[in-house]
Amino acid sequence: MATTSRSGVPVIVVDDVVTTGATLAACAGALRAGGTAVAGAFVLASTPSPSRHAARPTG
């Protein structure tokens, strides 16, 4: 069972840009493994999903 952070409050993971979410997941997993409760994540920007960049047939 997760506990709270040293200050007694669950933490929020902050990242500047999210692409796949792997870094956020790894960070949250490491914090949880260390016994810290993770309340969520805050991201400043995200890259478009690959499907938005897929070539679309014309004509």
Side-chain angles (χ1 to χ4, degrees):
M1 174 184 243
T3 61
T4 55
S5 66
R6 287 179 143 181
S7 65
V9 179
V11 300
I12 296 174
V13 179
V14 178
D15 198 358
D16 56 351
V17 178
V18 67
T19 302
T20 65
T23 302
L24 284 172
C27 184
L31 287 165
R32 288 183 180 122
T36 300
V38 178
F42 178 80
V43 178
L44 299 174
S46 66
T47 60
S49 66
S51 63
R52 298 180 107 187
H53 288 290
R56 294 191 179 129
T58 58

